[in-house]
Amino acid sequence: MKTVTFFQTLLLILGISGIVRAQTSGDDIVKEWERAKAYTREYLDSMPDKDYSLKPTPEMRSFAEQMLHIADANYGFSSAATGEKPPFGFGEAEKTADKSKEGVTKVVMESYDFAINCIKKLTPAQLNEKFKLMDRFEITKEQAFEKAFEHQTHHRGQTTVYLRLAGVKPPMEKLF
């Protein structure tokens, strides 16, 4: 009888710890996105307004377009994972006419808010739900946010070169 009680108690503890871990998963994702938002804001603030049109080579995106490209992906991945309607259609933020520092910063920061709010609305069970991204990739909703996070990290990293070309020291890395 003691053995049965022991195993029942053990299973109960493991089950509860799994639920608690799953419930903090969304909170952990939100914290990472908030950190990334603050870090991206530092990049946006560091670049002088006059250099938002800077392109390292003619065929590359400008600094403003790189940042707006991040916004497009934040909106696109978040919308795909949740069904929430973003304020821009796929790839439309990058095409906005206002590529000023103020205009770009507004769109990019709102895209982070959109992603963060989408994550907050998902339960741990919903984060684990699978769906087809771009009608090709079967992934979980959590993985969609991971892919968006990887995407924004990649493009923000690219803008380090833009800042250096503008004579600006890039913000210190913000891992935590």
Side-chain angles (χ1 to χ4, degrees), residues 33-143:
W33 275 85
E34 288 172 344
R35 178 184 56 79
K37 177 185 174 186
Y39 193 27
T40 302
R41 179 64 190 244
E42 289 180 19
Y43 270 74
L44 291 160
D45 291 345
S46 294
M47 181 62 92
D49 195 5
K50 68 178 182 60
D51 291 318
Y52 264 58
S53 61
L54 177 72
K55 291 182 171 190
T57 64
E59 65 276 357
M60 292 177 72
R61 289 180 173 103
S62 68
F63 178 83
E65 290 165 341
Q66 282 282 14
M67 289 298 183
L68 291 168
H69 181 71
I70 291 171
D72 276 326
N74 288 349
Y75 283 127
F77 279 96
S78 300
S79 177
T82 63
E84 292 282 326
K85 184 168 174 36
F88 291 93
F90 186 73
E92 293 299 314
E94 192 174 334
K95 297 174 186 171
T96 60
D98 184 1
K99 294 201 172 64
S100 68
K101 182 173 188 164
E102 182 180 343
V104 171
T105 298
K106 181 180 185 303
V107 170
V108 174
M109 291 296 98
E110 288 174 354
S111 78
Y112 277 93
D113 292 339
F114 182 83
I116 290 165
N117 288 328
C118 284
I119 296 164
K120 285 179 177 179
K121 291 178 183 177
L122 296 175
T123 65
Q126 290 170 320
L127 282 168
N128 287 319
E129 289 175 0
K130 289 192 173 194
F131 75 105
K132 277 223 171 168
L133 179 66
M134 300 177 203
D135 293 323
R136 289 182 48 196
F137 308 103
E138 188 170 322
I139 62 172
T140 66
K141 292 177 179 183
E142 183 174 359
Q143 288 171 319

Side-chain angles (χ1 to χ4, degrees), residues 21-31 119-120 122 124 127:
R21 188 176 51 82
Q23 288 174 338
T24 59
S25 175
D27 293 340
D28 292 342
I29 297 167
V30 167
K31 284 179 190 173
I119 296 164
K120 285 179 177 179
L122 296 175
L127 282 168

